[in-house]
Amino acid sequence: MTPPQQPPPLKSEPRVLGSSASSYNSLGLNGVPGSIWDFVSGSFSPSPSPILNAGPTSTASASPNGAELARVRRQLDEAKRKIRQWEESWQQVKQACDAWQREAKEAKERALAADGARQLALQKKEEVEAQVIFQLRAKQCVVCGEPARGAVLQPCQHRVLCEPCVASAPECPYCESQPLPW
């Protein structure tokens, strides 16, 4: 099994194409000097075609070639006008798009800043809530939850029970796992 052979590259033979091939290559697309890429890159400067200028320039001529030339020049002028309009429209669209992109970027930056501020506010809120809950629980009896801690336990001196719970508690709820050596 042999790999497929690639065909040999095409060669242009001047004797087959004749002298028109060299003039075609020098003129470019449709007989205009340069190439289509000159137009796309913006370096193309529309100018009257050498083919159009080859005919008689007299406008008084009533020949069919003179009328055809005038018609082609009108079409060329109309095409140039349309191109200018398209370029102006394109510039307007591009400016609007650039403005929208700037606005979107600024809005995103504002949203990120607002989200950061929101996160900070939520964190502070949670801290304040935790502190308030701690302060409320610090005043409650650890057994029944009544808000009045009034009894001082002996010998540890903890104040964690209310008066009714002191009578029923044999020892301090905080110290029961670790009795103090008094």
Side-chain angles (χ1 to χ4, degrees):
M1 200 162 153
T2 61
Q5 295 287 329
Q6 292 188 359
L10 294 176
K11 297 179 183 176
S12 61
E13 298 182 19
R15 64 182 174 273
V16 174
L17 296 175
S19 63
S20 65
S22 62
S23 65
Y24 173 78
N25 289 335
S26 67
L27 289 178
L29 184 64
N30 293 329
V32 177
S35 73
I36 186 68
W37 302 115
D38 292 340
F39 178 75
V40 172
S41 68
S43 65
F44 177 75
S45 174
S47 61
S49 169
I51 294 175
L52 296 179
N53 288 336
T57 57
S58 169
T59 56
S61 170
S63 71
N65 285 340
E68 179 69 15
L69 180 61
R71 183 186 65 79
V72 169
R73 284 191 176 158
R74 281 192 306 273
Q75 288 177 344
L76 179 63
D77 290 341
E78 180 65 21
K80 287 179 183 179
R81 186 184 63 75
K82 284 183 181 180
I83 289 173
R84 279 193 297 274
Q85 287 176 341
W86 290 343
E87 287 174 347
E88 290 170 3
S89 297
W90 169 250
Q91 286 300 323
Q92 291 173 355
V93 168
K94 186 176 183 304
Q95 288 173 350
C97 184
D98 290 344
W100 290 336
Q101 286 177 342
R102 280 192 304 274
E103 289 175 12
K105 182 180 177 185
E106 291 169 359
K108 185 177 181 180
E109 289 171 355
R110 287 192 304 268
L112 288 173
D115 187 51
R118 183 182 69 82
Q119 292 291 338
L120 183 63
L122 285 174
Q123 182 182 3
K124 287 188 179 197
K125 176 187 167 221
E126 290 173 358
E127 290 172 0
V128 168
E129 286 176 347
Q131 187 177 12
V132 167
I133 290 171
F134 174 77
Q135 288 176 354
L136 289 175
R137 288 196 178 173
K139 296 177 183 177
Q140 293 176 342
C141 173
V142 294
V143 174
C144 68
E146 286 294 321
R149 288 184 176 180
V152 178
L153 301 175
Q154 295 298 328
C156 64
Q157 301 293 316
H158 284 141
R159 184 175 282 204
V160 293
L161 299 175
C162 63
E163 292 293 332
C165 291
V166 165
S168 65
E171 55 188 35
C172 175
Y174 282 167
C175 298
E176 69 182 290
S177 63
Q178 301 175 15
L180 291 176
W182 290 80

